[in-house]
Amino acid sequence: MAATAETKGPSALRNAFGGVLGVFILLLIGVLAFSIRIFSVIKYESVIHEFDPYFNYRVTQYLTKNGIYDFWNWFDDRTWYPLGRVIGGTVYPGLTLTAGSMWWYVLDMVETVCVFTAPIFSANAAWATYLLTKEVKGTGAGLIAAALLAMVPSYISRSVAGSYDNEAVAIFALVFTFYLYVKTLNTGSLFYATLNALSYFYMVVLGTLLASLVPVVGFNAVMTSEHFASFLVFMENVTLKHNDHYNIEEAFSWHYAQLECCFRRTYASKYIPIIASVSEHQPPTWPSYFMDINVLAFLVPAGIIACFLPLSDASSFAVLYLVTSVYFSGVMVRLMLVLAPAACIMSGIALSEAYDVFTRSIKLQLPNILDNSPDAGDINSVSSIAQNDASKIDSHATTNKSETVSKERPSRKNRKKEKEKEIVEKVPSNSENKKRLLVLPLEASAVSILLLIVLGGFYVVHCVWAAAEAYSAPSIVLTSYAPDGLHVFDDFREAYAWLRHNTDVDDKVASWWDYGYQTTAMANRTVIVDNNTWNNTHIATVGTAMSSPEKAAWEIFNSLDVKYVLVVFGGLVGYPSDDINKFLWMVRIGGGVFPHIREPDYLRDGQYRIDAQATPTMLNCLMYKLSYYRFVETDGKAFDRVRRTEIGKKYFKLTHFEEVFTTHHWMVRIYKLKPPKNRIRGKLKKPRSTSKSSSSNQKRAGNTQKNPWQ
Amino acid sequence: MDPRKPLLLLLLVAIPALISLSSATSPTADDLVAELETLRVQSPSGVIHLDDRSVSRFLTSAPVSRPYSLIIFFDAAQLRSKPDLHLSHLRSEFALVSSSFAAHHASSPATSLRVFFCDIEFQESQSSFSLFGVTALPHLRYVGPHHRSPRDSESMDQAGFSRLAESMAEFVEAKTKIPVGPIVRPPPISPRQIAFLAVALLISAPFLIKRILDGDTMLHDRRFWMALAVFVYFFSVAGTMHNIIRKMPMFLQDRNDPDRLIFFYQGSGMQLGAEGFAVGFLYTIVGLIVAFATHVLVRVRNTTAQRGVMLVAMLVAFWAVKKVIHLDNWKTGYSVHAFWPTSWRW
């Protein structure tokens, strides 16, 4: 109260100190964001992860090698054989160009740059979150939000070192664009408006270029924007476009998902198998929220309410961002990533407000030996943020350090408020400067602070655990802990290296689309389909071949000039995401285009099984044969450890394919198509060679099915 | 129409007499048609209710090339309570097909009207069910003029039921070669209701407009939007979209002990309805408590009240967080642990 007037001199010093401390804290947050994502490098090695990053890596390699002009005109003939793919026109170039320029200016090692792009941009995203939240609710909230974002598990899952993908950078671009937008709103400055436009463009380049070109999506974006605009009072259309557009982009970037499937998920999962087959498109259950945003889920409602008290342009924007993203995250688990920054911002605001009240209560009542009942000023509706300026002297030692700097905020905010004439809602801003000290009982406040710290501590433990245990596996190298120590399964790279060294450079390799990017990037061989699933018919052709008997499959592959077929098999070591487990999707996708492939033929009474009860169609299809060829030689019983059963047909020979390479743990098996001459011999031999009596007849019966390529 | 009406009336009177008189002599085909038509007129949607007696009369004991065909919907009153069968819904859809068919052929010659829609109930006509060999519901049968025994009749593909009346109509068209015509669904609100709504709107319009001009509607109230935002949040974190998309029930019955209900499902890929709402509530309540303490409670003058409410609030919040952590560990099987420097181990 009395402190208002006399704080001129000390407050400047305090502000300066607070500023320095704030910068220091931000630096630490950046270090935290970077280092929590390094678990993958420490536990495994500096390697690109998963599937899509391999494509991005390959594109970046091309860019750095050949320059930007060649990159724009790049027609890739190593994939989608014989169609090829125009990379320059169909890729989201933002990520590649970002990493390319980092390579150009900073480091000369492409792979290192690619591996560490995601952690670096996570740090940037944390700083951007600080800026955005600062615009909404002040520095304290900003620092807490940044710290929360630095380690939110949902974002970690997409941005560990090595996951060189659009999402890692896109979240930074998203938050930064939002910041510039809010900043433009708050200041009315042309400078920020221009920056905002540029940043929006960057975000679009990262993702939406293609999405906005596709008529369906573009149209939907406009439609939904207007739909929301009709009942949202404060937001301008542009903002909404940011928001919704981004959601679409997110949804779209997995190749096929359109906004349609956000709203009518049932439709998509029923009729578009390729969407339904991606587990990321499933709606999440409540544990997903606890896993991905953890205790933030508890704090967000408090943040929402704090944003309404008082409601400003910036805070209404934050509420809108949260509400749209939380709704869409409920539809598709993948969109949890977009929710994460919003949840961090809201929780930051909530925590900051709570700490604000509790620390103030302690501070004002601690020297409470003298009777100190807060004098009865009138109760005004100004939120605590507008009035804590004078009353705070120093930070509470035990709480989050970020509290200290939250005081420089209000004066600037008020200045800005006056500048803005057209604020819609009437905050009784600085007219009532009479402050009543709003405090809670001392001991209750102390316990509350303690509880909040415990909550924050749990969050940190959870995030570190999630980063270390759940999200750091590169999925290209696998490990497992057995009683006798650590086992490393490096079969994928073994297989790709074999292909690279033992096959002709122009040979075509067929596999299910999951392995397309990796094959082109690591083995440098031409593939038929890859993870950019743009041509459903082509994928269906490969699915049909895998579901057909040997001869029909051979004909399909031969007509595509395929030399080698690669299958992933986990039955020996118990690796569950192998091709046999994905096989029903191959059947479904194949059957969607070529009706002679019928799913019921592969199911016994609606059950998918590969044991003795399996249907003859299943036991004779190419995928079964390539996966289980010679499998009985491993343990004598042919026990599949993924399906936990003995396989149905153990002894058989291949007529049209020959095994050329099987990796150490049998996880990848590579077969070569026999040349036509051998094929005839194989055919003549067949009745003798197949040991199981029934199989040869069935095989011949199966061969009468028509080949889609004839 | 006119010449037929007296005929029908006559038949109405005549048929019972006929049946009673000549139960030994088998009725002629024309008699049967007339009888069926009478029964159809009696039913509001034109669906004839069959039982064991009428089945034997119209199908088994009737001469083989019957001049009419029957579409039979198999119903079971005891299974109507099972939600996944949708029997009552399908039955009303069947009635729609029947009435649409009748409406479409209202002015056409009587021969095309010789397709009769019937239903049959399990409890009262079990022998007919075994006669048809029907073991699973929902089931729709077409008995054509040439079908010798009920077992020969053709049934509709099970998958077709998902498309309701449309696929039933397609089935009827495919079998009878007679178009059903557009499915006429009753409008969701009747004309009278529309008129009532219009009047109500008209009366309230001046008041509404005044309030809108004053900026005094619910939509102008900030608290409304706040509640809406919190509700959307609750709705989403409770996994309600999952429950809607997957059509999850609120709870399950324990298989071993039918009296026990299962509210929580172990395994992270799935959740039950009540479970989602419970945890969504726990998620939301903590935030609301924090907001209450920081924005409302702080304004209360009475320190004792503050103290008491804070105590309760902290207990509730602590319990909620602890409960969620416990449930999550139980459901997913994960156990989160911290990483400490090795030198700290003792």
Side-chain angles (χ1 to χ4, degrees), chain A residues 330-390:
Chain A
V331 175
M332 199 188 269
V333 75
R334 178 186 169 70
L335 295 177
M336 201 79 94
L337 182 66
V338 185
L339 167 67
C344 290
I345 291 168
M346 285 300 169
S347 309
I349 290 169
L351 276 180
S352 159
E353 301 263 302
Y355 278 135
D356 202 14
V357 169
F358 296 142
T359 49
R360 189 197 325 142
S361 308
I362 291 179
K363 198 183 312 156
L364 293 182
Q365 292 176 92
L366 204 53
N368 205 8
I369 308 107
L370 40 139
D371 163 357
N372 179 14
S373 74
D375 69 323
D378 54 343
I379 302 165
N380 61 34
S381 62
V382 182
S383 82
S384 52
I385 194 158
Q387 50 182 288
N388 61 6
D389 188 11

Side-chain angles (χ1 to χ4, degrees), chain A residues 282 285-286 297-298 425 443, chain B residues 222 233 246 268 271 287 307:
Chain A
Q282 309 303 329
T285 52
W286 67 263
F298 293 113
E425 92 301 345
E443 62 290 339
Chain B
R222 207 169 294 147
Y233 179 77
R246 295 281 161 77
S268 59
Q271 73 171 32
R307 214 163 259 146

Side-chain angles (χ1 to χ4, degrees), chain A residues 426, chain B residues 207-217 220:
Chain A
K426 315 124 206 160
Chain B
F207 300 97
L208 279 180
I209 290 169
K210 180 173 180 301
R211 292 194 78 178
I212 289 170
L213 290 180
D214 286 354
D216 188 29
T217 59
H220 288 85

Side-chain angles (χ1 to χ4, degrees), chain A residues 231 282 284-287 289-290 297-298 300 302 305 308 326-327 330 353-354 382 425 436 439 441 443 448, chain B residues 222 225-226 233 236 241-242 246 268 271 275 279 283 287-288 294-295 299 306-307 310 314 325 328 331 339:
Chain A
F231 69 81
Q282 309 303 329
T285 52
W286 67 263
Y289 285 93
F290 198 71
F298 293 113
V300 170
I305 291 170
F308 275 92
V326 82
Y327 171 74
E353 301 263 302
V382 182
E425 92 301 345
R436 187 176 98 78
V439 290
E443 62 290 339
S448 305
Chain B
R222 207 169 294 147
W225 293 103
M226 189 161 84
Y233 179 77
S236 302
M241 288 307 289
H242 170 273
R246 295 281 161 77
S268 59
Q271 73 171 32
E275 171 187 359
V279 179
Y283 278 148
L288 291 180
T294 46
H295 297 291
R299 301 230 157 78
Q306 278 187 332
R307 214 163 259 146
M310 278 293 276
M314 281 190 293
I325 292 173
D328 183 67
K331 190 174 173 74
F339 295 85

Side-chain angles (χ1 to χ4, degrees), chain B residues 166-213:
Chain B
E166 280 71 18
S167 58
M168 291 187 203
E170 274 171 26
F171 172 72
V172 172
E173 280 177 14
K175 298 299 174 197
T176 59
K177 312 285 186 297
I178 300 172
V180 172
I183 304 284
V184 189
R185 288 179 189 277
I189 40 175
S190 68
R192 195 178 293 175
Q193 281 168 319
I194 291 176
F196 176 76
L197 283 179
V199 170
L201 196 72
L202 221 66
I203 293 170
S204 61
F207 300 97
L208 279 180
I209 290 169
K210 180 173 180 301
R211 292 194 78 178
I212 289 170
L213 290 180

Side-chain angles (χ1 to χ4, degrees), chain A residues 496 499 509 511 515-525 527 566:
Chain A
Y496 294 131
L499 277 176
V509 181
S511 67
Y515 313 103
Y517 279 165
Q518 293 180 349
T519 312
T520 40
M522 283 196 272
N524 191 26
R525 292 296 172 265
V527 295
L566 177 153

Side-chain angles (χ1 to χ4, degrees), chain A residues 285-332:
Chain A
T285 52
W286 67 263
S288 314
Y289 285 93
F290 198 71
M291 181 70 196
D292 274 359
I293 57 174
N294 200 243
V295 304
L296 307 189
F298 293 113
L299 296 169
V300 170
I304 296 175
I305 291 170
C307 278
F308 275 92
L309 305 165
L311 194 63
S312 67
D313 287 1
S315 68
S316 60
F317 178 84
V319 170
L320 268 177
Y321 174 32
L322 178 96
V323 168
T324 42
S325 62
V326 82
Y327 171 74
F328 282 109
S329 78
V331 175
M332 199 188 269

Side-chain angles (χ1 to χ4, degrees), chain A residues 10-28 130 134 139-140 143 401-409 412:
Chain A
S11 86
L13 187 67
R14 226 171 50 219
N15 280 348
F17 178 69
V20 172
L21 197 59
V23 170
F24 183 63
I25 292 170
L26 279 177
L27 259 177
L28 285 183
Y130 162 74
K134 197 181 98 179
T139 317
L143 285 172
K401 280 173 282 178
S402 53
E403 275 312 296
T404 31
V405 262
S406 69
K407 335 148 188 140
E408 59 153 28
R409 176 74 200 134
R412 284 183 60 197

